[in-house]
Amino acid sequence: MKALLRNLACLVVLHIPASAAEPDSAKLHAWYRAEGVKVDGASVSAWENAAAPGGVRSLTRVVGRPQALRVSTPGGERTVVRFDGKSALWAPVNPWGTVAGERTIVAFVRVASDASGFLFDGSTKAGSAPAQIVAGKWDTSATASPAAKAGGWQVQIFVFTKPKTPLGGFILGANVATKGGLACDVAEVLVYDRALGEA
């Protein structure tokens, strides 16, 4: 997991200048990054998928009031999305689709102090595949990096090698019932339809 973390850390655009190499979008099921955040005032109205043209697999359904924030990074100013524990962004299984087999989800997050709740899930009960922080640890069926420590930006990696259920649709910031949200800032999320190894 440590080797994978080092390799993926260079992919997260928040850390690197925009001119640096980016992941091949053809190898991604979905990619939510700063340039895709759409706002209405300070509230986020959608998060477009950079991995597909025409907004396919974009998170266009909004629960609560996720907020757009501008933060300074070594790569310049970037937009991130703040979830307050009562907000979420999601896409239903149609048109987001389903990832039936192995998958990897990479998120660059900053978790609020003593936060607990769901970072992501599927948007259907049949396609539920959550990652939740409970008592400072990830509760998930994935192999996960250590839970994010409060206050600092961290790359969180979730590798589902033997998923019990498919990932049907996608919800960010809460669970399938849009409950149990996680108070956190999210800078970027990458969804691969394969289990990334440590090579």
Side-chain angles (χ1 to χ4, degrees), residues 3 22 26 31 45 57 61 63 70 78 100 110 122 125 141 160 190-191 195:
E22 295 180 345
W31 182 16
S45 59
R57 300 188 193 113
R61 309 278 177 100
V63 175
R70 294 290 286 173
R78 305 275 188 213
R110 179 171 59 185
K125 287 188 180 184
S141 62
F160 294 83
L190 300 96
V191 180

Side-chain angles (χ1 to χ4, degrees), residues 72-144:
S72 295
T73 73
E77 289 236 335
R78 305 275 188 213
T79 299
V80 302
V81 178
R82 173 163 288 172
F83 296 97
D84 61 5
K86 298 176 185 173
S87 57
L89 292 169
W90 65 285
V93 70
N94 191 8
W96 195 87
T98 300
V99 181
E102 295 182 341
R103 56 193 171 267
T104 303
I105 298 174
V106 180
F108 194 48
V109 299
R110 179 171 59 185
V111 177
S113 178
D114 298 326
S116 62
F118 292 87
L119 175 61
F120 65 81
D121 198 355
S123 66
T124 63
K125 287 188 180 184
S128 179
Q132 175 186 23
I133 291 180
V134 177
K137 296 182 179 178
W138 288 114
D139 181 13
T140 178
S141 62
T143 300

Side-chain angles (χ1 to χ4, degrees), residues 149-172:
K149 296 191 184 340
W153 286 102
Q154 292 182 312
V155 176
Q156 297 292 295
I157 303 167
F158 305 88
V159 182
F160 294 83
T161 55
K162 295 179 182 175
K164 295 176 183 173
T165 61
L167 178 62
F170 192 69
I171 184 166
L172 189 58

Side-chain angles (χ1 to χ4, degrees), residues 171-187:
I171 184 166
L172 189 58
N175 70 1
V176 65
T178 67
K179 305 283 185 198
L182 180 64
C184 63
D185 296 337
V186 180

